[in-house]
Amino acid sequence: MDTSPDETHFDVIVVGTGLTQAILAGALSRVGKKVLHLDRNDLYGGQMSSFSLQGLREWVTNTSAVQGEDGFPIDVVQSAQTSESWETIDIQPTTCDISSFIDRSFTDLTDAAENAESAESFEALARGSQYNIDLCPKMALAGNQLVDGLIQSGVARYLEFKGLHSTYVHTDGALRFVPTSKSEIFQDTFISPLEKRALMKITKFCLEHASDADDEQQYQQFKSGPFVELLKVRKVSPRLQNFILYAIAGASVDQTAANSPLMTTEEGVRRVKNYVESIGRFGSCAFLYPLYGVSELPQAFCRLSAVYGGVYILRNGPKQLLVDPSTKSFKGVITEQGHRFTADHLVSELDYLPISASMTVKETGQVRHVVAILQGTVKADATAPVVFIIPTNALDNADVIQVLQIGHESMCAPKGKSLIHLMMRDCGTAAEDLQRALHFVVQEGAAQMFKQRSKPVATEQDSDSDPESAESDDESSLIPDSGAEPLTADELQAAEEMKEQQRMERRKQREERQKRRRAEQEAANTFIQPRVLFTFSYLQVQRQVDGLDVANVHFTEDLNDELDMDSCVVEARALFTSLFPAEEFLPHTANPDEQNEEEREMEDLATYDLPEDNSPTTGTADTTTAVDDNTTLGGATP
């Protein structure tokens, strides 16, 4: 079936539906640019895709890509001439969806369960679409640019979020809660009073250093140096350093090793400030997680682009680039299905690299991912996602491990199941380190979470506390009004029987409520060890491209290994500004209520008949009233 649009020339062709590409496409379409959005895959998201359980296993076991020794597709150079004397440059061939993820594996652990008879098969669990499993789980910091863009552009109305429940850092052999608000800090029993004072002081420093001469001098002194050095100078203890660096500032790699990319003081102070200012914007949490998985975000921005005229073609990526040899500039693409489109610019993710002798592809890092499907949850009382941070060497791990628990409350797993995502920069031992971390979190971590829960649920001892259980002994309802006819003996007996029947029905309902509450309380006070059912493992390759000698071709960066996804909107904004510097990035979009109000106001103005010049005084008074009414509605005058 021919899926090509009637339009063949566009301002920009965007390739790949990752978050950066989707934001850019939405922003371009919003200001009236003609956008063609291509993707060889049959789902949105790119590296931020979300799969069903069955879909993830199919993706993990799909290793049919044409691979070279370095893990990237083999170069197969071809050239041709078009009718316009444009050269063609082939896109590297691959049949492996989202080819930046390699070394994929799937493990079924249900046969190893202690009670094999109760183990559920993969096919039974994968039935339906109750799982939404992220390839690269991310969250949005409530005060960062991404959330501002969602609100300003109107894309937020396509989405729903859950606030992060809590964050824990492995310290002193156990997972410790990270307090962030003033009340949480002073109520915490783990950190000492001196540490509480130091935490409050460093938080205040990050928020207000510019207003204090001594603090500003110290900030300028350490601005370009490692953030960890400033924390040491300000007498922040090692365990509080872990809290600040990894849970609040969001560092994803070791901040103590000399060979690690250390966070600067300027960046660390900015991140702490953003984190603290995010708390309270949408509840008591700083981070937001989208319901149904992170792929909902790219889909929402793609929807914005489509609403404003963007053209979308899935399952049909570019096969060749069209290049003008005289100017070495991009002119268009030929798709895998043979469609030919021209454009002024091309923006592409790195899974669609052209074959060019002048271009070099450099691997800048690798991130190992492990996804575990659990029977039960690690933090059973959590009503939203939970983050666990395991600093370097806490479990003999070579680098920092980030763990994210997502469950039924985020619409990503069926009730009674949960997802555990583990991520770590690959230093050669990442696979073993993550398996060790998974065992610790599921076994010891779950037991620690149960002991650290807010308070055990008190068992109900009697029914007197149930406000619905009180029975009235007042029999005034049986006494007739003074002016009424007295009841006969039969009527009194019938009324007594009805009251007794109502009393028995209330007692039965009360007993059922108490039985249900006791069951819930017993379950809340009983530790149930979670169990790993399946694990998925894959390696995310991060790349950098240099030297492509074709103008007007722009490549977006691979996803980084941080939990916050704000880098995507920062990159999209930079690309948008470089392409169209005179246009506004993601301008305000009126919500439906505002649009309807404007439409109603315009209809009122269009149907209002102005009085003639010789109208009587009453008509003039009516005109004044109409103008005042319109001004109140929207500030318009007829």
Side-chain angles (χ1 to χ4, degrees), residues 4 42 100 189 207 422:
S4 62
D42 58 359
S100 56
T189 59
L207 292 171
L422 301 97

Side-chain angles (χ1 to χ4, degrees), residues 62-259:
N62 175 23
T63 55
S64 57
V66 182
Q67 296 289 326
E69 294 181 357
D70 58 355
F72 293 104
I74 298 173
D75 290 353
V76 182
V77 180
Q78 297 178 356
S79 63
Q81 295 288 325
T82 68
S83 58
E84 293 87 353
S85 297
W86 291 344
E87 294 180 348
T88 62
I89 301 179
D90 287 0
I91 301 294
Q92 293 183 356
T94 176
T95 57
C96 184
D97 296 339
I98 318 175
S99 56
S100 56
F101 293 88
I102 61 175
D103 192 19
R104 311 173 186 178
S105 65
F106 164 72
T107 305
D108 186 340
L109 299 174
T110 54
D111 292 336
E114 294 181 5
N115 186 2
E117 295 180 357
S118 65
E120 299 177 78
S121 67
F122 180 88
E123 288 71 20
L125 287 172
R127 194 177 299 119
S129 56
Q130 299 183 78
Y131 288 92
N132 292 289
I133 307 172
D134 302 329
L135 286 186
C136 290
K138 299 279 185 181
M139 295 184 294
L141 195 61
N144 269 3
Q145 294 184 44
L146 177 60
V147 174
D148 292 339
L150 288 170
I151 297 171
Q152 178 174 299
S153 64
V155 173
R157 61 176 174 262
Y158 304 143
L159 300 163
E160 294 181 88
F161 293 86
K162 268 284 187 181
L164 182 68
H165 183 277
S166 51
T167 303
Y168 292 81
V169 173
H170 188 288
T171 302
D172 296 346
L175 293 171
R176 305 291 184 179
F177 173 71
V178 178
T180 51
S181 67
K182 183 180 291 187
S183 61
E184 288 177 345
I185 291 174
F186 285 107
Q187 292 174 11
D188 191 274
T189 59
F190 174 66
I191 56 178
S192 67
L194 288 177
E195 288 176 318
K196 292 178 181 181
R197 180 175 174 81
L199 183 56
M200 293 296 294
K201 289 180 69 175
I202 190 63
T203 301
K204 183 179 179 182
F205 175 89
C206 294
L207 292 171
E208 305 174 1
H209 65 85
S211 60
D212 184 278
D214 293 338
D215 286 348
E216 179 62 17
Q217 181 180 2
Q218 188 178 51
Y219 171 75
Q220 294 298 333
Q221 179 184 353
F222 288 88
K223 182 177 179 179
S224 58
F227 185 37
V228 65
E229 295 301 324
L230 174 68
L231 298 180
K232 292 177 180 177
V233 168
R234 295 189 67 88
K235 297 181 171 37
V236 177
S237 66
R239 58 184 181 182
L240 279 190
Q241 290 178 28
N242 287 340
F243 284 11
I244 295 170
L245 291 169
Y246 304 118
I248 298 176
S252 58
V253 296
D254 186 13
Q255 294 297 299
T256 60
N259 60 345

Side-chain angles (χ1 to χ4, degrees), residues 341-385:
F341 303 105
T342 59
D344 300 327
H345 298 275
L346 173 72
V347 178
S348 174
E349 64 181 27
L350 295 179
D351 279 355
Y352 300 84
L353 293 173
I355 299 170
S356 173
S358 65
M359 186 182 70
T360 58
V361 181
K362 179 183 178 182
E363 183 179 304
T364 59
Q366 294 183 340
V367 180
R368 171 65 64 178
H369 295 258
V370 170
V371 181
I373 313 298
L374 265 60
Q375 175 70 48
T377 59
V378 174
K379 184 167 178 55
D381 61 341
T383 57

